[in-house]
Amino acid sequence: AHPPGTINGRFRITEQGEMITQNYGLVPIAERTLDLFTAGVLAEGFEERPVPKKEWVAIMEQLSDISCAAYRQVVRGEERFVPYFRSATPELELAGLNVGSRPAKRNPKGGVESLRAIPWV
């Protein structure tokens, strides 16, 4: 998913270290991975995307603002959220696994803002 007009014959990808070995570690797999990327870039050149109506864009922006405010109220404004999150998810168990190249948290004593997404992938 990307905004219209952003590919223009090329694009950049970011892959984690583990995925580099998985996607490029063997020549046949690397060729298949590059085939998929190439096909995606080429197909984009033939895709005609409808231009969203101004009314739709305005409604989506309003929906985005409302939902973002509601999300932030729960995640950052509700003092019970972090204790709930820690009891309802395997955050602490995942933090103890040796996966990924970065720690699960930037600050082990921090709240939601200290979490990293990488261990959850």
Side-chain angles (χ1 to χ4, degrees), residues 2 42-50:
H2 58 277
L42 292 173
E44 177 62 24
F46 297 100
E47 186 80 22
E48 288 192 33
R49 296 175 183 250

Side-chain angles (χ1 to χ4, degrees), residues 7 39 42 47 63 72 83 92 117:
I7 298 292
L42 292 173
E47 186 80 22
L63 180 61
R72 287 186 176 156
L92 298 175

